[in-house]
Amino acid sequence: MTATAALRAEGIARDDRRRHLGEVSLALEPGTVLAVRGSERESATLIKTLFRTLEPDRGSLVLVAGDRELDLAHAGDRAVAWARRRWLGLFDGRVRELPNRAASRAVAGPAGEDATAAAVLDGLGVSDPSEPVGLLGERERTAVALALALHRPAAILLLHRPLGGLEREARERAAQLIGDAAAAGSAVLATLATSDEPLGGLEGELGSAP
Amino acid sequence: MTAAVARPAAPALRAPAPVLAVRGLRKRYGPGCPRCSPPVGERCEACGSVHAVRDVSFEVGPGEVLGIVGESGSGKTTLLRCLRLDLDADSGTASLEGHGDLLRLDAVGRRRALSGSVAMVHQDDVAAGLHPQLSAGANVAERLLAAGEREFAPVRERCGRILSRMEVGRERHDDPLSTYSGGMRQRTQLARALIRPPRLLLLDEPTTGLDPSVQATVLALIADLLEEVEGGTVLVSHDFDVVSLLADRVLVMRGGAVVEEGLTDAVLEDPRHPYTRLLVASRLR
């Protein structure tokens, strides 16, 4: 991670019935983990709104880097794309990676070491990190997506149900990696299912969808 | 009673200035006429002209990949060919960092821009102007020679290095391009485009027509290379999956016009225009 950043949402909300979000205010500060419990649909909408995949109908969503600010809710798409590349990381269960690439190579990135990435994948329950991503099972692909977000964490990490679908040991390892990311300075938001263990740090709850 | 003290506004974070800013670009095939305003996708009934690019505007930032999707005939390639100065646009501007308006450069300015700042990878090597009888190394070296480099040994060394980086085995560098597979020829095109790091990289359907396994290999290479490109990239493809993997933002073109634009994931998540909805719905999952 190059530099820390914070993300502050003030009264963001979406009226769309299919992707509804009740008014949410939160602050993701460097070095902290904020866990939020709520329904699958509203949690997913929260993450997508914070990442600006979905636009909020109301409220502000301010990225703070150093002494400068950018309101992602009202910024143009080019500015949002730039801010994402520099500061934002996302895990939503989907692998955005070429299916023919070995999982460890994908997670290591062009300049990274396969062995270190393989160790992360192993901890998250991927039995053979040298397998191409496209040949892995669904659970292992989800683990690859999580490793992609956590191995070299962004300044602001948005994680949708990062513990979902993992075996117990892998869940513990994922929780540890999330803690490590925060310890290294990331500002982390993780949505959790009701049954997930606490992650430590702060916890909040989303209102229920209409 | 205490007066509220307003918090001073923090200075704004601003994205870097665009590498390329295109404004109101138009290109018509045919003579045009006073009544020439055919509906999107149709010819002018009076003069037969086709409006291939209609008032297209966009920006690309440094390090950013802008995808352009649309079916055949939507104007994507014509747009790129105007930016590559292979075609003369009828109107509009295309300001490239360090060069001013590309569309109004004189011959010297064009040569300078095309040999150094703008590089294009075409769908096939014929369109790219690769020479099948020359070696891959010689084809790559052409771009360095066009930029005025003349010393044989360093040119050969650089070409060899970048071809190896493109996964073309060193033992094949001196073989004529005509003996190369489609995937190897695409990798040679990439090497030629990147031998001098461009400020603007234009990728026109760079993996279309390749076998699926070769396509995946070339895509992996492009994905890695784009991480390193400091300039802006415009990627044209009819394949939303390719664009969603590589592009930060996307323009959707139909009949020469941009019908929708946005962050790639946002357009995929919530397509607004009926044509975009059709494209998104047609993706294989």
Side-chain angles (χ1 to χ4, degrees):
Chain A
M1 196 180 62
T2 50
T4 60
L7 188 65
R8 294 169 192 156
E10 188 65 47
I12 55 166
R14 284 180 52 84
D15 299 329
D16 174 0
R17 194 164 175 77
R18 201 155 65 89
R19 301 179 191 85
H20 177 269
L21 183 65
E23 210 163 273
V24 173
S25 296
L26 54 83
L28 305 180
E29 300 295 340
T32 63
V33 178
L34 173 61
V36 175
R37 292 181 196 270
S39 71
E40 158 65 27
R41 184 182 286 191
E42 202 162 12
S43 297
T45 301
L46 172 65
I47 292 285
K48 285 175 183 172
T49 308
L50 293 175
F51 195 62
R52 252 295 303 274
T53 301
L54 297 172
E55 287 182 33
D57 293 321
R58 292 183 298 284
S60 66
L61 179 60
V62 177
L63 173 85
V64 185
D67 64 346
R68 293 179 177 266
E69 295 184 350
L70 174 67
D71 186 350
L72 297 175
H74 300 99
D77 291 334
R78 191 167 75 78
V80 174
W82 169 73
R84 282 177 172 184
R85 283 198 305 277
R86 289 194 63 157
W87 291 290
L88 294 174
L90 174 72
F91 166 76
D92 61 1
R94 275 182 263 173
V95 188
R96 289 171 186 80
E97 188 45 73
L98 287 154
N100 62 327
R101 215 190 301 258
S104 53
R105 185 90 291 276
V107 171
E113 284 184 22
D114 284 21
T116 320
V120 172
L121 285 163
D122 186 48
L124 293 175
V126 177
S127 53
D128 183 359
S130 65
E131 276 282 281
V133 173
L135 293 182
L136 298 176
E138 196 173 329
R139 179 173 291 190
E140 290 188 315
R141 285 166 61 87
T142 304
V144 171
L146 187 57
L148 281 165
L150 294 176
H151 181 44
R152 287 170 298 154
I156 296 164
L157 263 182
L158 305 171
L159 308 173
H160 179 53
R161 303 268 166 108
L163 307 182
L166 297 176
E167 302 283 0
R168 190 180 56 82
E169 280 183 19
R171 270 204 314 275
E172 288 171 5
R173 179 67 182 132
Q176 190 185 348
L177 287 170
I178 291 168
D180 291 348
S186 291
V188 185
L189 175 85
T191 61
L192 299 179
T194 319
S195 56
D196 285 337
E197 298 91 340
L199 269 178
L202 295 168
E203 221 178 90
E205 193 146 343
L206 283 169
S208 55
Chain B
M1 193 178 78
T2 54
V5 179
R7 188 171 68 99
L13 267 176
R14 289 187 201 287
V19 172
L20 175 73
V22 174
R23 300 274 180 265
L25 196 134
R26 293 173 189 266
K27 174 64 186 173
R28 183 188 64 233
Y29 293 116
C33 67
R35 293 189 293 130
C36 206
S37 57
V40 166
E42 292 181 23
R43 287 176 179 275
C44 171
E45 284 184 3
C47 70
S49 295
V50 173
H51 291 241
V53 178
R54 297 168 177 249
D55 198 17
V56 169
S57 300
F58 62 86
E59 292 181 344
V60 189
E64 183 179 37
V65 181
L66 176 75
I68 302 181
V69 293
E71 63 202 0
S72 297
S74 60
K76 317 182 294 285
T77 297
T78 297
L79 174 60
L80 279 204
R81 292 187 66 198
C82 289
L83 297 177
R84 174 67 172 62
L85 307 177
D86 292 334
L87 290 173
D88 289 329
D90 297 326
S91 60
T93 60
S95 300
L96 179 67
E97 181 191 82
H99 292 271
D101 186 358
L102 280 178
L103 309 182
R104 280 160 190 78
L105 293 177
D106 59 16
V108 175
R110 284 180 171 222
R111 199 162 49 244
R112 203 181 120 243
L114 296 179
S115 64
S117 298
V118 182
M120 182 156 170
V121 174
H122 295 72
Q123 184 174 342
D124 60 73
D125 48 305
V126 177
L130 293 182
H131 307 292
Q133 74 281 14
L134 295 182
S135 69
N139 272 285
V140 175
E142 195 181 35
R143 195 164 149 81
L144 292 178
L145 299 176
E149 300 197 27
R150 291 289 181 268
E151 288 195 45
F152 177 77
V155 166
R156 183 175 165 76
E157 165 58 25
R158 276 176 70 187
C159 293
R161 212 176 326 127
I162 197 160
L163 279 166
S164 297
R165 168 88 173 80
M166 300 300 154
E167 299 167 11
V168 176
R170 196 162 272 278
E171 71 284 358
R172 299 293 312 272
H173 292 184
D174 293 329
D175 291 351
L177 211 60
S178 56
T179 65
Y180 275 29
S181 66
M184 287 171 78
R185 287 198 293 268
Q186 281 310 82
R187 294 201 290 269
T188 303
Q189 272 207 71
L190 280 169
R192 190 165 76 158
L194 298 172
I195 186 82
R196 301 192 74 213
R199 289 307 289 161
L200 177 62
L201 177 62
L202 307 172
L203 301 173
D204 184 13
E205 305 271 12
T207 58
T208 301
L210 300 175
D211 294 338
S213 62
V214 178
Q215 185 181 47
T217 309
V218 173
L219 264 182
L221 193 54
I222 291 174
D224 284 350
L225 293 170
L226 289 179
E227 297 266 320
E228 299 166 19
V229 171
E230 291 176 2
T233 300
V234 180
L235 165 70
V236 156
S237 179
H238 66 275
D239 186 341
F240 231 130
D241 288 322
V242 169
V243 168
S244 69
L245 190 70
L246 300 177
D248 301 290
R249 291 184 298 126
V250 65
L251 303 183
V252 182
M253 286 188 73
R254 187 174 190 224
V258 174
V259 296
E260 186 160 357
E261 62 182 289
L263 296 160
T264 307
D265 55 325
V267 170
L268 284 170
E269 174 76 22
D270 191 16
R272 308 278 170 91
H273 190 277
Y275 177 64
T276 315
R277 293 171 69 85
L278 183 66
L279 280 183
V280 173
S282 305
R283 293 174 73 206
L284 291 173
R285 287 166 204 260

